[in-house]
Amino acid sequence: MTKTFLLSVAFTALLLAGCSREEPPRSESTQAEADTQAPSPGSPKAGSEQATIEASIIPAVTIDGEARQTLRERMVTYNAPQVSVAVYRNGALDWTKGYGEGTDAETLFQAASLSKVVAATGIVALASELGVSLDEDISGDLEGVDQSKLNPEGVVITLRMLLSHTNGATVSGFPGYAAGEAVPTNLEVVTGSERTNTDPVTIAANPEGKFSYAGGGYQLAQLWAEQASGEDFTALMDRLILNPVGMKQSTFAQPLSADMASGNVAPAYEGNGDPVEGGWHTYPEQAAAGLWTTPEDYGRFVMALIGAMNGESGTGISPEVATEVVRPVSEDYGLGIGVEMSEWTDGGEIVLRHSGSNKGYKTYFEAWPERGDAIVVMTGADGAYPLNADIVRTAKQAYGWPMGPVRTRARHDLDEDALEQLSGAYIMAADGEQYFTIERDGQDLTLTTRRGAVYRMVPVEEYVFIDPNDGEEAAFKTDGNTVTVSLSGTVFEQAPEDRQSD
């Protein structure tokens, strides 16, 4: 997994911290019973790519002999009541659809970190407008900031480094603010205050220019943009990007206006299928995570960026700005966007991509500039990261987009005694804490974390299991007295019976 995909979190980290890439317990109550098709482009034709995607989703690993789920069944698996997809081909919209009760193609979702691509493009456009080099030191232009706290080592701060995550900025992500909570200003987010729920942003020396993902750097760039332009970020992005590109369903407004909030908005859901209290969180961190949009509208931006990078005028983004945005700075990351060469085409082919994760929202886009093709997926559920990957994987096969081979594994028959032997509570020897339990489930095992996330484990070799939903492998070892399991390189030990809790 490359850093630009940013689609999933290491399995071990989830066990230790209970992060958001959890597969929640199954719940039929979350099934999308009423799909609302956008008036255009209409229902899928039999045999079309859209129909194929809806009918048979490809998981991370297909177990031989097992039927694949439909998209709606997959939504139930991940407790994702709402999903929205848009596909562009040859520079134009191929189809778009919202899935789930009350969801249509015009339903707004939080774009989460997909906001960074749009924000970076707008900030680069502003720098061009003002004649500011992306490589000049802007530290002296930041008002209301104590440089001794922000930048104690006196590091040069540039827009290029901030937007490419190479400036040594801190604060990787933001949890947002729940309904009813006081929402700080962006200046407070950067400098810290009693109203913020994250640490102040700081800059550390990074002479090698190593990539270190930091939403905090984007908030520093946002602060510069607001102060340099004299405009609030919502209005600035409207002027520079959203209006010129024609993103009529999009806004960086945080919080949403009362009229918009009471309209066609997808509410956020927890990993267990419960709604997020108050509908969603507010993100004053607009550049890093604050865009509200639809997959169709976001795809419109992607098509404008692709057109501009190919030298087209009149897209709403200048070719000069697009060139800066998609120019890799550190390995395979440009300014707010992953820029890679596909290993699955002869001679390579550029792929643009990014993922996003806000409270109750998971998003992803991938685009192929040489083809003018792109897919944008937005879901309103904390456990929907794997679902996004499943939809994109299925679309790649349906459209013939570059992709690796579909992974398949044969089931290995393991006797009942062996399955029972592996069942129990598991601890980490270093701290003695219990992190998960494993139970026999027919011919499979089920792993349940201490936070309630449930994972299916299918035997594929002697004492080797795989979760077909995310492809993670678990390798057990037993010497007759002790059972251990290795997950993503971390070893857990079966607790003695007298240490196993309910």
Side-chain angles (χ1 to χ4, degrees):
M1 182 72 68
T2 64
K3 64 174 178 284
T4 55
F5 199 5
L6 301 173
L7 188 60
S8 63
V9 183
F11 186 75
T12 301
L14 294 165
L15 295 174
L16 302 181
C19 246
S20 61
R21 194 216 58 84
E22 297 183 350
E23 180 191 347
R26 299 347 185 208
S27 171
E28 293 297 324
S29 65
T30 62
Q31 182 155 2
E33 296 177 348
D35 290 346
T36 306
Q37 172 65 50
S40 177
S43 300
K45 297 179 181 179
S48 68
E49 293 90 350
Q50 180 184 352
T52 298
I53 294 166
E54 293 177 357
S56 181
I57 293 292
I58 303 173
V61 178
T62 298
I63 305 300
D64 287 348
E66 291 191 359
R68 290 173 177 165
Q69 293 181 312
T70 66
L71 175 54
R72 288 174 56 171
E73 289 170 338
R74 208 72 177 145
M75 290 167 66
V76 174
T77 293
Y78 292 112
N79 276 1
Q82 302 144 314
V83 175
S84 191
V85 182
V87 173
Y88 282 75
R89 296 191 77 186
N90 300 316
L93 180 67
D94 190 28
W95 62 274
T96 183
K97 185 174 180 178
Y99 302 86
E101 187 172 1
T103 307
D104 59 32
E106 296 186 350
T107 300
L108 290 181
F109 289 76
Q110 287 188 0
S113 284
L114 268 62
S115 307
K116 291 181 174 69
V117 191
V118 184
T121 305
I123 291 170
V124 173
L126 176 63
S128 176
E129 179 179 271
L130 298 178
V132 175
S133 169
L134 297 179
D135 299 306
E136 71 178 67
D137 190 352
I138 63 167
S139 58
D141 299 329
L142 300 172
E143 300 175 5
V145 177
D146 185 340
Q147 289 288 335
S148 66
K149 294 180 179 179
L150 168 71
N151 189 10
E153 300 177 67
V155 174
V156 170
I157 300 175
T158 74
L159 293 174
R160 191 185 307 278
M161 289 192 291
L162 290 175
L163 300 178
S164 62
H165 303 292
T166 59
N167 217 147
T170 60
V171 189
S172 60
F174 301 96
Y177 293 82
E181 287 187 321
V183 179
T185 65
N186 181 46
L187 180 59
E188 289 179 292
V189 170
V190 170
T191 61
S193 81
E194 61 182 16
R195 299 202 303 170
T196 57
N197 56 17
T198 52
D199 293 332
V201 178
T202 59
I203 300 291
N206 182 25
E208 296 181 0
K210 291 183 178 180
F211 178 96
S212 180
Y213 193 81
Y218 268 69
Q219 293 321 115
L220 204 55
Q222 176 182 326
L223 182 64
W224 172 86
E226 291 173 318
Q227 293 179 345
S229 67
E231 302 172 72
D232 71 79
F233 199 69
T234 302
L236 182 65
M237 294 304 299
D238 282 347
R239 178 173 70 83
L240 292 175
I241 301 296
L242 305 190
N243 291 341
V245 170
M247 299 173 69
K248 297 180 180 180
Q249 297 294 117
S250 304
T251 181
F252 272 90
Q254 291 284 343
L256 282 175
S257 67
D259 286 346
M260 294 190 73
S262 62
N264 191 358
V265 180
Y269 283 82
E270 305 275 4
N272 63 3
D274 292 339
V276 170
E277 187 174 353
W280 51 79
H281 284 189
T282 295
Y283 287 81
E285 304 89 1
Q286 293 164 287
L291 177 64
W292 285 95
T293 189
T294 67
E296 179 182 355
D297 235 22
Y298 196 88
R300 187 172 287 114
F301 163 78
V302 174
M303 290 299 106
L305 183 66
I306 286 175
M309 67 179 285
N310 289 332
E312 297 177 17
S313 60
T315 68
I317 301 171
S318 78
E320 294 76 19
V321 167
T323 297
E324 295 289 1
V325 170
V326 302
R327 177 183 293 140
V329 176
S330 176
E331 298 178 24
D332 51 10
Y333 200 88
L335 304 184
I337 192 169
V339 185
E340 302 176 39
M341 295 298 292
S342 171
E343 62 181 299
W344 306 113
T345 56
D346 293 337
E349 181 176 343
I350 291 177
V351 183
L352 306 178
R353 63 181 85 188
H354 212 292
S355 66
S357 175
N358 276 8
K359 179 64 175 178
Y361 297 96
K362 299 294 175 279
T363 59
Y364 183 71
F365 93 90
E366 194 160 328
W368 297 268
E370 296 175 29
R371 302 165 187 253
D373 294 356
I375 182 169
V376 185
V377 183
M378 297 185 174
T379 51
D382 256 343
Y385 256 152
L387 176 59
N388 290 358
D390 291 348
I391 293 171
V392 172
R393 184 183 303 110
T394 307
K396 284 181 176 180
Q397 186 176 77
Y399 282 99
W401 291 332
M403 65 180 294
V406 173
R407 294 177 63 189
T408 61
R409 297 295 295 269
R411 175 183 290 277
H412 176 82
D413 291 330
L414 203 60
D415 63 54
E416 296 179 4
D417 290 341
L419 292 168
E420 291 291 350
Q421 182 187 21
L422 304 180
S423 300
Y426 282 77
I427 63 174
M428 186 181 291
D431 59 22
E433 286 192 49
Q434 179 177 318
Y435 285 96
F436 54 87
T437 58
I438 291 176
E439 298 177 311
R440 179 188 166 197
D441 183 8
Q443 296 303 306
D444 298 340
L445 294 176
T446 296
L447 183 152
T448 304
T449 72
R450 57 187 177 185
R451 291 180 178 263
V454 179
Y455 300 89
R456 181 188 177 201
M457 303 170 70
V458 178
V460 291
E461 298 176 27
E462 192 75 11
Y463 292 110
V464 175
F465 291 71
I466 198 165
D467 182 347
N469 291 326
D470 60 17
E472 288 285 351
E473 290 194 8
F476 290 86
K477 289 184 178 180
T478 176
D479 62 7
N481 297 314
T482 304
V483 177
T484 61
V485 59
S486 176
L487 294 165
S488 297
T490 300
V491 177
F492 298 87
E493 182 179 305
Q494 191 182 69
E497 290 187 10
D498 60 358
R499 295 187 57 190
Q500 297 199 16
S501 59
D502 293 333

